[in-house]
Amino acid sequence: MSRARDYGLLVRPSSKRYLDQVAAAMAPTLSHYPIKIAVITDTHDKFRPAMTYYGPTGLMHVSEQSYLAQLVGADLRVHLGDAIDGSERPMLGRMRLALMSGTLATGPGEFMLAKGNHDDNDKFAEARGGRGAFMPAEYDALVQPALALQEGIHTAAGGVQYRDYDRLRVIILNTSDNAVHRHRGRKVPDEKRQLAVREPQLRALAKILAGAGPRDILLLGHAPALRPGGRVGLTHGAEAVQGLLEAFRARHKGRLVLPEPADSDYAGSVDYDFTQVRGRFSAYLAGHWHTEAQYQVRGVNYTLLNCSALMGPYHLITTDYNRAWHRRLGTSTESAGYILGLDPRRHRLAILGYGATSRVRIINY
């Protein structure tokens, strides 16, 4: 376990004590994994304080994730989206997004940030006739500059990101890749309610997968392409993403046609050639659903990660998973996060949780 350096991180004394214990408990397992990644999702950060539900603790959880990442020697820090709740005035939403991006950039090493369905402030706009939502360019202006400063992080069409390590390629999918426009002053679609991956990003994903060579693949995104039982997890592009992953696993070559009307913004086709790849696909990790699950769909491993945001047990939209944790402010259950251990030579992925999470999940792929 490494000693933490001072990056100007704000870490509460009680959290520091808890995370010191977490790092010590994880150390024996992580010693067997050459690549380590710290992951957090769904912080739903807000300016307005709250004792039992969401609030400014989201920003604190990201700062404390960086502290834990130092202790375990993580190679990468990842936020899987819904950085903000998107329910406050646009000025506050922009401020919290900028603070989140800046906090991620302040920590040790590199970071990646996925876009969530709350991050364009559409939740605020839903009750105000569409006013107050961000257009995609506003979100990009707030988060992309910090991402772009990192030489190892690559961004392609549609917002897909990737980072290479020895025998591993980490890919972040943008599941809020919507065709957005203004209609009579109102933003269409409501991005909080619609998740999508479009043709340009799918083509970029096919190229990134094909170019992985001997590397194994770890795919992450805010939302899963498919839910347990094969139910769609995205409004558009769910089966297309799944189809590319199945083709990668089978090392196939072909063309994938999106099942959309020809005049749709989500129509198109994707050519792929995975005949030269030698790595394996490990898993697709996602948040969004504020729960934990582990399942397979047609041979593709999926893992859902719990939300970092505080969800008190007495709120109507608190999930059963979080209600069972009886999460409380100022305790170890206030947050939730993960350290991933990856060993491409053994084709093994360890998912180690802290806070309101399962402690150990292992995927042999």
Side-chain angles (χ1 to χ4, degrees):
M1 185 173 67
S2 61
R3 179 174 294 179
R5 293 175 56 194
D6 182 10
Y7 286 90
L9 299 171
L10 185 59
V11 182
R12 293 167 288 185
S14 60
S15 296
K16 183 179 182 298
R17 290 191 295 272
Y18 173 64
L19 294 175
D20 287 345
Q21 295 170 1
V22 167
M26 289 182 176
T29 300
L30 289 176
S31 66
H32 299 288
Y33 293 87
I35 303 172
K36 305 170 188 64
I37 302 174
V39 180
I40 198 170
T41 187
D42 293 81
T43 46
H44 286 269
D45 184 76
K46 295 173 64 174
F47 176 78
R48 183 177 179 181
M51 293 296 293
T52 61
Y53 195 71
Y54 296 174
T57 48
L59 195 63
M60 186 72 71
H61 295 168
V62 170
S63 186
E64 292 169 351
Q65 179 207 39
S66 290
Y67 176 76
L68 179 61
Q70 292 180 71
L71 294 179
V72 302
D75 301 280
L76 179 69
R77 292 169 294 115
V78 175
H79 192 309
L80 285 182
D82 282 358
I84 63 170
D85 189 47
S87 59
E88 299 181 298
R89 296 194 306 276
M91 177 189 71
L92 294 177
R94 293 186 187 97
M95 179 184 72
R96 303 307 291 187
L97 264 179
L99 285 170
M100 187 67 72
S101 179
T103 300
L104 284 163
T106 298
E110 296 175 318
F111 77 94
M112 300 173 84
L113 173 60
K115 187 175 183 180
N117 60 307
H118 280 250
D119 289 327
D120 272 329
N121 227 51
D122 293 67
K123 185 176 179 179
F124 175 87
E126 284 175 351
R128 292 162 180 82
R131 296 184 300 276
F134 305 157
M135 296 298 282
E138 294 182 73
Y139 172 87
D140 290 344
L142 290 165
V143 304
Q144 287 299 327
L147 281 169
L149 289 174
Q150 304 175 102
E151 293 184 3
I153 308 298
H154 306 280
T155 301
V160 62
Q161 306 163 36
Y162 68 98
R163 173 64 165 94
D164 284 340
Y165 296 95
D166 182 34
R167 300 180 64 89
L168 179 72
R169 175 165 282 186
V170 180
I171 306 173
I172 303 285
L173 200 62
N174 174 19
T175 58
S176 289
D177 182 17
N178 285 294
V180 178
H181 59 277
R182 292 280 186 186
H183 178 68
R184 296 180 179 177
R186 184 176 186 141
K187 177 184 172 184
V188 180
D190 178 344
E191 292 198 274
K192 176 174 164 286
R193 299 177 181 272
Q194 179 165 300
L195 294 153
V197 176
R198 290 186 289 162
E199 180 191 50
Q201 186 180 184
L202 288 165
R203 289 186 175 184
L205 176 62
K207 185 176 181 180
I208 292 167
L209 289 170
R215 297 181 181 90
D216 288 352
I217 298 294
L218 175 65
L219 181 64
L220 305 99
H222 177 64
L226 298 181
R227 297 168 63 192
R231 293 171 293 167
V232 296
L234 310 175
T235 311
H236 301 282
E239 282 292 346
V241 173
Q242 174 73 16
L244 286 178
L245 300 181
E246 291 179 32
F248 178 87
R249 292 183 70 251
R251 292 169 166 73
H252 283 173
K253 177 180 180 179
R255 171 172 288 185
L256 186 150
V257 178
L258 281 66
E260 303 279 353
D263 61 348
S264 168
D265 290 323
Y266 303 91
S269 63
V270 181
D271 293 321
Y272 58 85
D273 183 355
F274 302 135
T275 56
Q276 302 304 309
V277 301
R278 300 189 300 280
R280 298 187 189 183
F281 179 81
S282 60
Y284 184 153
L285 274 60
H288 182 61
W289 291 104
H290 294 203
T291 190
E292 284 191 349
Q294 198 154 317
Y295 55 97
Q296 268 196 6
V297 180
R298 302 195 294 272
V300 175
N301 294 316
Y302 283 88
T303 295
L304 299 184
L305 306 179
N306 194 27
C307 62
S308 171
L310 176 64
M311 298 190 81
Y314 307 114
H315 296 270
L316 289 176
I317 63 172
T318 296
T319 59
D320 289 342
Y321 182 82
N322 284 291
R323 189 170 286 113
W325 276 99
H326 201 83
R327 298 179 66 175
R328 295 172 55 202
L329 185 71
T331 71
S332 62
T333 62
E334 176 194 297
S335 65
Y338 304 84
I339 301 294
L340 311 181
L342 292 113
D343 185 349
R345 295 188 183 277
R346 292 189 298 164
H347 305 296
R348 182 173 293 177
L349 164 64
I351 305 170
L352 310 182
Y354 61 94
T357 68
S358 298
R359 291 299 177 258
V360 181
R361 288 183 279 178
I362 303 292
I363 296 176
N364 294 298
Y365 58 91

PDB file of all heavy atoms in Angstrom, residues 70-87:
ATOM      1  N   GLN A  70      -4.752   6.739  -4.590  1.00  0.00           N
ATOM      2  CA  GLN A  70      -3.336   6.858  -4.214  1.00  0.00           C
ATOM      3  C   GLN A  70      -2.901   5.686  -3.343  1.00  0.00           C
ATOM      4  O   GLN A  70      -1.844   5.087  -3.556  1.00  0.00           O
ATOM      5  CB  GLN A  70      -3.110   8.137  -3.421  1.00  0.00           C
ATOM      6  CG  GLN A  70      -3.261   9.431  -4.180  1.00  0.00           C
ATOM      7  CD  GLN A  70      -3.009  10.581  -3.226  1.00  0.00           C
ATOM      8  OE1 GLN A  70      -1.884  10.809  -2.816  1.00  0.00           O
ATOM      9  NE2 GLN A  70      -4.053  11.303  -2.875  1.00  0.00           N
ATOM     10  N   LEU A  71      -3.715   5.371  -2.349  1.00  0.00           N
ATOM     11  CA  LEU A  71      -3.347   4.339  -1.387  1.00  0.00           C
ATOM     12  C   LEU A  71      -3.145   2.984  -2.056  1.00  0.00           C
ATOM     13  O   LEU A  71      -2.249   2.232  -1.679  1.00  0.00           O
ATOM     14  CB  LEU A  71      -4.412   4.226  -0.298  1.00  0.00           C
ATOM     15  CG  LEU A  71      -4.590   5.434   0.634  1.00  0.00           C
ATOM     16  CD1 LEU A  71      -5.701   5.153   1.624  1.00  0.00           C
ATOM     17  CD2 LEU A  71      -3.303   5.777   1.362  1.00  0.00           C
ATOM     18  N   VAL A  72      -4.007   2.655  -3.035  1.00  0.00           N
ATOM     19  CA  VAL A  72      -3.923   1.331  -3.662  1.00  0.00           C
ATOM     20  C   VAL A  72      -3.044   1.339  -4.907  1.00  0.00           C
ATOM     21  O   VAL A  72      -2.834   0.296  -5.528  1.00  0.00           O
ATOM     22  CB  VAL A  72      -5.325   0.786  -4.008  1.00  0.00           C
ATOM     23  CG1 VAL A  72      -6.190   0.692  -2.761  1.00  0.00           C
ATOM     24  CG2 VAL A  72      -6.000   1.625  -5.091  1.00  0.00           C
ATOM     25  N   GLY A  73      -2.533   2.520  -5.292  1.00  0.00           N
ATOM     26  CA  GLY A  73      -1.694   2.606  -6.480  1.00  0.00           C
ATOM     27  C   GLY A  73      -2.461   2.421  -7.768  1.00  0.00           C
ATOM     28  O   GLY A  73      -1.979   1.753  -8.702  1.00  0.00           O
ATOM     29  N   ALA A  74      -3.654   3.017  -7.864  1.00  0.00           N
ATOM     30  CA  ALA A  74      -4.491   2.862  -9.059  1.00  0.00           C
ATOM     31  C   ALA A  74      -3.837   3.512 -10.271  1.00  0.00           C
ATOM     32  O   ALA A  74      -3.235   4.588 -10.178  1.00  0.00           O
ATOM     33  CB  ALA A  74      -5.872   3.465  -8.816  1.00  0.00           C
ATOM     34  N   ASP A  75      -3.958   2.858 -11.405  1.00  0.00           N
ATOM     35  CA  ASP A  75      -3.418   3.380 -12.662  1.00  0.00           C
ATOM     36  C   ASP A  75      -4.347   4.401 -13.295  1.00  0.00           C
ATOM     37  O   ASP A  75      -3.905   5.223 -14.109  1.00  0.00           O
ATOM     38  CB  ASP A  75      -3.208   2.226 -13.647  1.00  0.00           C
ATOM     39  CG  ASP A  75      -2.259   1.178 -13.111  1.00  0.00           C
ATOM     40  OD1 ASP A  75      -1.042   1.412 -13.196  1.00  0.00           O
ATOM     41  OD2 ASP A  75      -2.736   0.143 -12.593  1.00  0.00           O
ATOM     42  N   LEU A  76      -5.626   4.365 -12.960  1.00  0.00           N
ATOM     43  CA  LEU A  76      -6.621   5.198 -13.616  1.00  0.00           C
ATOM     44  C   LEU A  76      -7.790   5.409 -12.669  1.00  0.00           C
ATOM     45  O   LEU A  76      -8.150   4.514 -11.901  1.00  0.00           O
ATOM     46  CB  LEU A  76      -7.110   4.494 -14.896  1.00  0.00           C
ATOM     47  CG  LEU A  76      -8.186   5.168 -15.744  1.00  0.00           C
ATOM     48  CD1 LEU A  76      -7.630   6.436 -16.413  1.00  0.00           C
ATOM     49  CD2 LEU A  76      -8.705   4.197 -16.809  1.00  0.00           C
ATOM     50  N   ARG A  77      -8.380   6.612 -12.716  1.00  0.00           N
ATOM     51  CA  ARG A  77      -9.620   6.901 -11.993  1.00  0.00           C
ATOM     52  C   ARG A  77     -10.732   7.149 -13.006  1.00  0.00           C
ATOM     53  O   ARG A  77     -10.531   7.853 -13.994  1.00  0.00           O
ATOM     54  CB  ARG A  77      -9.448   8.135 -11.098  1.00  0.00           C
ATOM     55  CG  ARG A  77      -8.496   7.914  -9.932  1.00  0.00           C
ATOM     56  CD  ARG A  77      -8.131   9.210  -9.227  1.00  0.00           C
ATOM     57  NE  ARG A  77      -7.347  10.080 -10.104  1.00  0.00           N
ATOM     58  CZ  ARG A  77      -7.755  11.264 -10.553  1.00  0.00           C
ATOM     59  NH1 ARG A  77      -8.943  11.746 -10.205  1.00  0.00           N
ATOM     60  NH2 ARG A  77      -6.985  11.990 -11.344  1.00  0.00           N
ATOM     61  N   VAL A  78     -11.907   6.559 -12.759  1.00  0.00           N
ATOM     62  CA  VAL A  78     -13.022   6.642 -13.702  1.00  0.00           C
ATOM     63  C   VAL A  78     -14.283   7.091 -12.980  1.00  0.00           C
ATOM     64  O   VAL A  78     -14.591   6.605 -11.890  1.00  0.00           O
ATOM     65  CB  VAL A  78     -13.273   5.279 -14.380  1.00  0.00           C
ATOM     66  CG1 VAL A  78     -14.521   5.333 -15.266  1.00  0.00           C
ATOM     67  CG2 VAL A  78     -12.065   4.848 -15.204  1.00  0.00           C
ATOM     68  N   HIS A  79     -15.012   8.032 -13.602  1.00  0.00           N
ATOM     69  CA  HIS A  79     -16.351   8.411 -13.154  1.00  0.00           C
ATOM     70  C   HIS A  79     -17.300   8.038 -14.281  1.00  0.00           C
ATOM     71  O   HIS A  79     -17.146   8.488 -15.416  1.00  0.00           O
ATOM     72  CB  HIS A  79     -16.417   9.919 -12.874  1.00  0.00           C
ATOM     73  CG  HIS A  79     -17.659  10.351 -12.149  1.00  0.00           C
ATOM     74  ND1 HIS A  79     -18.938  10.009 -12.559  1.00  0.00           N
ATOM     75  CD2 HIS A  79     -17.825  11.109 -11.030  1.00  0.00           C
ATOM     76  CE1 HIS A  79     -19.826  10.534 -11.730  1.00  0.00           C
ATOM     77  NE2 HIS A  79     -19.166  11.195 -10.782  1.00  0.00           N
ATOM     78  N   LEU A  80     -18.314   7.222 -13.967  1.00  0.00           N
ATOM     79  CA  LEU A  80     -19.196   6.686 -14.999  1.00  0.00           C
ATOM     80  C   LEU A  80     -20.463   7.508 -15.221  1.00  0.00           C
ATOM     81  O   LEU A  80     -21.443   6.988 -15.761  1.00  0.00           O
ATOM     82  CB  LEU A  80     -19.565   5.235 -14.675  1.00  0.00           C
ATOM     83  CG  LEU A  80     -18.461   4.213 -14.926  1.00  0.00           C
ATOM     84  CD1 LEU A  80     -18.945   2.810 -14.624  1.00  0.00           C
ATOM     85  CD2 LEU A  80     -17.952   4.305 -16.346  1.00  0.00           C
ATOM     86  N   GLY A  81     -20.446   8.780 -14.859  1.00  0.00           N
ATOM     87  CA  GLY A  81     -21.542   9.651 -15.266  1.00  0.00           C
ATOM     88  C   GLY A  81     -22.584   9.920 -14.209  1.00  0.00           C
ATOM     89  O   GLY A  81     -22.591   9.337 -13.129  1.00  0.00           O
ATOM     90  N   ASP A  82     -23.523  10.828 -14.552  1.00  0.00           N
ATOM     91  CA  ASP A  82     -24.409  11.469 -13.589  1.00  0.00           C
ATOM     92  C   ASP A  82     -23.552  12.100 -12.501  1.00  0.00           C
ATOM     93  O   ASP A  82     -23.772  11.920 -11.300  1.00  0.00           O
ATOM     94  CB  ASP A  82     -25.440  10.499 -13.001  1.00  0.00           C
ATOM     95  CG  ASP A  82     -26.595  10.237 -13.960  1.00  0.00           C
ATOM     96  OD1 ASP A  82     -26.615  10.838 -15.053  1.00  0.00           O
ATOM     97  OD2 ASP A  82     -27.489   9.449 -13.614  1.00  0.00           O
ATOM     98  N   ALA A  83     -22.564  12.859 -12.963  1.00  0.00           N
ATOM     99  CA  ALA A  83     -21.710  13.600 -12.043  1.00  0.00           C
ATOM    100  C   ALA A  83     -22.544  14.571 -11.230  1.00  0.00           C
ATOM    101  O   ALA A  83     -22.339  14.747 -10.025  1.00  0.00           O
ATOM    102  CB  ALA A  83     -20.620  14.340 -12.808  1.00  0.00           C
ATOM    103  N   ILE A  84     -23.511  15.227 -11.895  1.00  0.00           N
ATOM    104  CA  ILE A  84     -24.440  16.127 -11.202  1.00  0.00           C
ATOM    105  C   ILE A  84     -25.848  15.570 -11.315  1.00  0.00           C
ATOM    106  O   ILE A  84     -26.139  14.735 -12.185  1.00  0.00           O
ATOM    107  CB  ILE A  84     -24.385  17.558 -11.782  1.00  0.00           C
ATOM    108  CG1 ILE A  84     -24.834  17.577 -13.248  1.00  0.00           C
ATOM    109  CG2 ILE A  84     -22.985  18.144 -11.622  1.00  0.00           C
ATOM    110  CD1 ILE A  84     -25.047  18.966 -13.825  1.00  0.00           C
ATOM    111  N   ASP A  85     -26.727  16.072 -10.459  1.00  0.00           N
ATOM    112  CA  ASP A  85     -28.123  15.633 -10.511  1.00  0.00           C
ATOM    113  C   ASP A  85     -28.886  16.332 -11.626  1.00  0.00           C
ATOM    114  O   ASP A  85     -29.872  15.804 -12.126  1.00  0.00           O
ATOM    115  CB  ASP A  85     -28.803  15.886  -9.160  1.00  0.00           C
ATOM    116  CG  ASP A  85     -30.184  15.258  -9.084  1.00  0.00           C
ATOM    117  OD1 ASP A  85     -30.311  14.080  -9.467  1.00  0.00           O
ATOM    118  OD2 ASP A  85     -31.142  15.942  -8.679  1.00  0.00           O
ATOM    119  N   GLY A  86     -28.450  17.522 -12.006  1.00  0.00           N
ATOM    120  CA  GLY A  86     -29.106  18.236 -13.098  1.00  0.00           C
ATOM    121  C   GLY A  86     -30.472  18.779 -12.747  1.00  0.00           C
ATOM    122  O   GLY A  86     -31.297  19.015 -13.638  1.00  0.00           O
ATOM    123  N   SER A  87     -30.728  18.993 -11.460  1.00  0.00           N
ATOM    124  CA  SER A  87     -32.045  19.440 -11.019  1.00  0.00           C
ATOM    125  C   SER A  87     -32.046  20.888 -10.529  1.00  0.00           C
ATOM    126  O   SER A  87     -33.081  21.381 -10.076  1.00  0.00           O
ATOM    127  CB  SER A  87     -32.538  18.535  -9.884  1.00  0.00           C
ATOM    128  OG  SER A  87     -31.629  18.567  -8.784  1.00  0.00           O
TER     129      SER A  87
END
